Amino acid sequence: MTSPVTGTVFVATCDLAAQMRGRAVPASREDAVLRSGTGWVPADLALTCFGPIADNVFGSTGDLRLIPDPATRLDVPASGGVPGTRIYLAGQAQPDGTPWECCPRSFLASALDELRTELGLTAVASFEHEFTLAGVPAAPPFSFERFRAAEPFGSELVALLDQAGFAPESWLPEYGDAQHEITLSPAEGMAAADRAVLLREIVRDLARRNGLRACFAPILHPEGSGNGVHVHLSFLDADGNPALYDPSRPGQLSELGTRFAAGILRHAAAVTAVTAASPVSFLRLTPHRWSAGGVFLAERNREALLRICPGSGPDAGHQLNLEFRAADATANPWLALGTLLKAGLEGVRRGYPEPVVWSESVTEAELSAMPSLPKGQAEALDALESDQVVRGFFAPDLLSTYLSVKRAELRSLDGLDETERCERIADVY
């Protein structure tokens, strides 16, 4: 095994505040760490995005191991006088090696296993990230000028992602001020979420090394357009055929697909407590922001919570997917994807009524009658706590810690106006 030039290896998890945290070990111990992991503490799960530990059930007791997954290895090359490093993502396990019930990565693994066991399906996903890049000259949205103004950062980012096997699909100057977007090709569910965790750190690290600052905060100013993370979902059956595609049905979405969508729509308020996970996230999730203006399913309509993304040509069935639009980078990707899968699976299990598939010609009056998302994070957290179905997805200690962390983050912003709240969150993300 080739050691990274820095002489250390960083073993990481992603916590409830969507922060990648972990420990570095000497490169000489890499093989040993791959076998038995490195130490970790249960109370670390209760770290808030601002640093302090929220009230939790763990206290000072207990021990865990961060067990690296060799498939997640990422080598970040040296650049600009900063040494390279090697990163592994890890699951959190008990000292005897059994998975810890509060591990976010294990939470997603359980959702993927349920999908395979009950429906014989493999989840395929992609996380589409928007972020702002401070330190480059102002230029019009979507313009070649803004694309070039971000060089050499942009080309270096695409090359680094390509080299890492992340299969970058597009890199573009987006609509908002200083906003950019990077999309990765779809991958199997765990790989897609792992890439989302690592992508954010790759972008921030590369920006710093170029004298820039990348920010994934959901909204930098109350009147701004905001940064989303659109989660694209599709499924393959045991023979590798697309399970969401049925050209005879509305939106070309199969019955399984519409019942899966029904589960997410039925539990949308509780789901968004996990996918839109900061005190300012819901400022972005309002009508006319092209984010998620209502709880409905639609073709080619970017106000929908769930959008059917169509395919084209002979591969249309494999291209068609469901896009969940009420997520951002304050959410842990493992928890976000796992919650979406579990909610959708409930729609299939319980036979929820199929939702209407609204066309792109839906009127403004019709849109205004759609159910709305929570008005703020506090309302969403209350919905998560009271929704007996969604709360049942989580181990009790994981749920109580999540609620404690998020409510502690809310309290940290007491007394601030919305502009100040946005600034505080932007400082973190």
Side-chain angles (χ1 to χ4, degrees), residues 44-203:
D44 287 343
L45 189 71
L47 283 161
T48 67
C49 72
F50 300 117
I53 294 178
D55 292 339
N56 63 87
V57 299
F58 311 114
S60 61
T61 63
D63 287 286
L64 298 170
R65 305 292 290 176
L66 293 179
I67 307 296
D69 182 345
T72 66
R73 189 180 86 180
L74 171 68
D75 286 336
V76 180
S79 175
V82 179
T85 193
R86 175 168 290 167
I87 302 171
Y88 288 99
L89 293 179
Q92 299 178 53
Q94 300 284 1
D96 65 1
T98 57
W100 186 41
E101 65 176 2
C102 296
C103 171
R105 196 167 189 263
S106 296
F107 177 83
L108 174 56
S110 73
L112 294 167
D113 286 344
E114 288 175 34
L115 192 71
R116 279 190 292 265
T117 301
E118 296 187 32
L119 301 180
L121 298 177
T122 297
V124 176
S126 179
F127 290 71
E128 181 182 299
H129 283 82
E130 296 170 336
F131 61 93
T132 57
L133 195 60
V136 298
F142 308 115
S143 68
F144 183 70
E145 180 184 356
R146 185 184 293 183
F147 163 72
R148 293 292 286 173
E151 295 289 32
F153 168 84
S155 292
E156 290 178 359
L157 174 62
V158 171
L160 179 55
L161 294 172
D162 199 32
Q163 181 181 0
F166 283 20
E169 196 170 66
S170 65
W171 157 246
L172 65 144
E174 252 285 359
Y175 175 74
D177 292 342
Q179 189 179 54
H180 296 76
E181 178 181 285
I182 185 75
T183 64
L184 304 179
S185 298
E188 185 275 328
M190 184 62 77
D194 287 344
R195 290 175 181 179
V197 172
L198 291 167
L199 171 73
R200 301 168 190 181
E201 300 305 323
I202 291 171
V203 170

Side-chain angles (χ1 to χ4, degrees), residues 92-418:
Q92 299 178 53
Q94 300 284 1
D96 65 1
T98 57
W100 186 41
E101 65 176 2
C102 296
C103 171
R105 196 167 189 263
S106 296
F107 177 83
L108 174 56
S110 73
L112 294 167
D113 286 344
E114 288 175 34
L115 192 71
R116 279 190 292 265
T117 301
E118 296 187 32
L119 301 180
L121 298 177
T122 297
V124 176
S126 179
F127 290 71
E128 181 182 299
H129 283 82
E130 296 170 336
F131 61 93
T132 57
L133 195 60
V136 298
F142 308 115
S143 68
F144 183 70
E145 180 184 356
R146 185 184 293 183
F147 163 72
R148 293 292 286 173
E151 295 289 32
F153 168 84
S155 292
E156 290 178 359
L157 174 62
V158 171
L160 179 55
L161 294 172
D162 199 32
Q163 181 181 0
F166 283 20
E169 196 170 66
S170 65
W171 157 246
L172 65 144
E174 252 285 359
Y175 175 74
D177 292 342
Q179 189 179 54
H180 296 76
E181 178 181 285
I182 185 75
T183 64
L184 304 179
S185 298
E188 185 275 328
M190 184 62 77
D194 287 344
R195 290 175 181 179
V197 172
L198 291 167
L199 171 73
R200 301 168 190 181
E201 300 305 323
I202 291 171
V203 170
R204 293 187 186 105
D205 181 67
L206 185 61
R208 285 191 296 267
R209 288 188 280 151
N210 278 273
L212 307 171
R213 183 174 184 266
C215 180
F216 288 84
I219 191 163
L220 277 69
H221 187 277
E223 303 305 319
S225 56
N227 295 313
V229 176
H230 302 151
V231 184
H232 294 260
L233 277 171
S234 60
F235 305 104
L236 299 176
D237 65 19
D239 297 320
N241 299 312
L244 292 185
Y245 182 64
D246 185 340
S248 68
R249 289 174 53 85
Q252 301 187 321
L253 187 64
S254 66
E255 179 182 353
L256 179 141
T258 52
R259 293 200 185 278
F260 185 89
I264 294 174
L265 297 176
R266 172 79 67 92
H267 301 287
V271 167
T272 54
V274 179
T275 64
S278 84
V280 300
S281 291
F282 288 86
L283 293 177
R284 190 181 69 88
L285 302 178
T286 56
H288 310 299
R289 286 181 180 268
W290 289 29
S291 54
V295 180
F296 63 99
L297 171 68
E299 296 182 81
R300 299 183 293 275
N301 189 316
R302 288 168 178 81
E303 290 286 309
L305 179 66
L306 281 173
R307 183 174 76 98
I308 302 169
C309 300
S312 62
D315 201 31
H318 283 275
Q319 294 172 15
L320 183 137
N321 64 86
L322 284 172
E323 179 188 39
F324 179 82
R325 296 180 59 78
D328 60 55
T330 65
N332 178 303
W334 298 322
L335 290 182
L337 181 55
T339 301
L340 289 172
L341 293 175
K342 286 174 179 281
L345 190 53
E346 288 297 323
V348 179
R349 280 180 184 142
R350 297 170 183 257
Y352 289 164
E354 294 184 45
V356 172
V357 177
W358 293 92
S359 71
E360 59 187 320
S361 61
V362 61
T363 67
E364 188 70 22
E366 289 171 322
L367 283 177
S368 67
M370 302 295 181
S372 60
L373 288 168
K375 297 295 186 292
Q377 188 186 31
E379 184 181 330
L381 293 171
D382 288 346
L384 172 59
E385 191 168 24
S386 63
D387 187 321
Q388 295 303 310
V389 172
V390 178
R391 67 175 292 137
F393 300 164
F394 301 87
D397 287 349
L398 175 57
L399 178 65
S400 68
T401 306
Y402 185 83
L403 293 169
S404 180
V405 166
K406 294 303 161 185
R407 286 170 173 157
E409 291 173 353
L410 269 170
R411 288 193 299 272
S412 295
L413 302 185
D414 282 350
L416 302 181
D417 64 28
E418 296 293 13

